[in-house]
Amino acid sequence: MNCRFDQDAAAYVIGALSPSERLDFEKHLGGCDECTRTIRELAGIPGLLGRVEPSVLEQPVVEGPGVPDTLLPTLSRKVRGARRRRTLIAAGVAAAAVAVLVPVAVSQMGSGDGSRPSTPGASTEPSTVVAQPMHPVGDVPLEASVTLESVTWGTRLGLTSTYDRNAMDHRLPPSMDYTLCVRTWDGHMEKVGSWKSVSGMEMQISGATATRREEISWILVRAPDGRVVLRLPG
């Protein structure tokens, strides 16, 4: 028998449900193993979206037929029906989620009431997530703080960083690529996001992992050559 919430899982992960729909879905998750399993399988999508170049989101929205209402439910059913092809499905869902994200982001920015959009998977209790400054490894031109939030499907990360090309004695490029990684207590390393830091601009990056908060030993930021430039104990 199909669960009546089976069409909401993909929309929940990328934050496309309304506050009331999100609350109903989170209440439902506590008693539905099938939806919980689907959420865990899709948990990496926010991290994949964090790798999208900012220029993609800055492009104007082109008037057209838009995204069909049945897109997310269809993707969700395909994930459950073909778990053996999990890697290919994850890539397809991420690509579709990017298409959905652009109009959603434009709509939220245009609300004009100054409120922040709701985020999926979080507790309905008031948030107590606090940003923690990351520690530099040597002299580096990057500063960052990070938040870690336990959610139903794993851990959500939020990183705010600033790159200063004039912070070093030698000449640096106007922008630099960095990656956000988490390391578990058993030594597993996972890349959860990447971005291009532009000198003088504050960048905000979202990452996600199915790893539980208590299993994370380190949060790391790596330079293009693989060096760890910032770190924070989990």
Side-chain angles (χ1 to χ4, degrees):
M1 180 180 297
N2 291 333
C3 171
R4 71 184 184 92
F5 287 92
D6 64 351
Q7 299 183 355
D8 293 339
Y12 173 78
V13 170
I14 66 170
L17 295 180
S18 68
S20 60
E21 290 171 334
R22 177 170 60 86
L23 181 60
D24 290 342
F25 187 76
E26 288 178 350
K27 290 178 179 179
H28 165 75
L29 277 179
C32 182
D33 293 339
E34 183 70 13
C35 286
T36 300
R37 184 162 52 249
T38 301
I39 290 296
R40 287 189 176 276
E41 291 174 347
L42 300 177
I45 288 179
L48 293 174
L49 295 177
R51 304 175 190 176
V52 178
E53 290 290 339
S55 59
V56 174
L57 300 181
E58 292 169 358
Q59 294 175 358
V61 177
V62 178
E63 296 295 335
V67 179
D69 294 337
T70 57
L71 176 59
L72 288 174
T74 300
L75 290 172
S76 180
R77 287 195 298 271
K78 286 184 178 180
V79 169
R80 288 192 296 272
R83 291 193 177 96
R84 291 189 301 274
R85 301 188 300 277
R86 186 172 300 170
T87 301
L88 293 177
I89 292 174
V93 173
V98 170
V100 175
L101 177 65
V102 175
V104 169
V106 172
S107 173
Q108 290 172 340
M109 288 188 295
S111 62
D113 60 2
S115 62
R116 295 179 62 87
S118 61
T119 52
S123 169
T124 55
E125 298 298 322
S127 175
T128 57
V129 178
V130 178
Q132 303 178 68
M134 300 191 71
H135 309 305
V137 181
D139 294 329
V140 296
L142 187 71
E143 295 181 353
S145 61
V146 65
T147 60
L148 287 89
E149 181 181 4
S150 295
V151 290
T152 307
W153 40 260
T155 305
R156 179 187 294 115
L157 297 90
L159 184 136
T160 301
S161 71
T162 304
Y163 168 68
D164 183 3
R165 64 179 302 191
N166 300 314
M168 311 294 289
D169 294 334
H170 55 280
R171 185 177 178 84
L172 293 172
S175 63
M176 184 81 73
D177 294 337
Y178 291 100
T179 58
L180 178 63
C181 305
V182 295
R183 189 174 194 172
T184 61
W185 290 104
D186 61 4
H188 175 69
M189 184 77 72
E190 179 184 358
K191 177 180 175 180
V192 297
S194 64
W195 75 101
K196 182 184 294 293
S197 280
V198 179
S199 183
M201 291 183 60
E202 182 180 273
M203 313 295 289
Q204 295 186 345
I205 300 91
S206 297
T209 174
T211 303
R212 294 194 300 272
R213 173 70 177 81
E214 61 271 18
E215 296 174 346
I216 298 175
S217 61
W218 286 95
I219 304 97
L220 307 171
V221 172
R222 292 181 176 272
D225 60 5
R227 291 181 300 111
V228 175
V229 294
L230 298 175
R231 63 183 179 181
L232 181 71

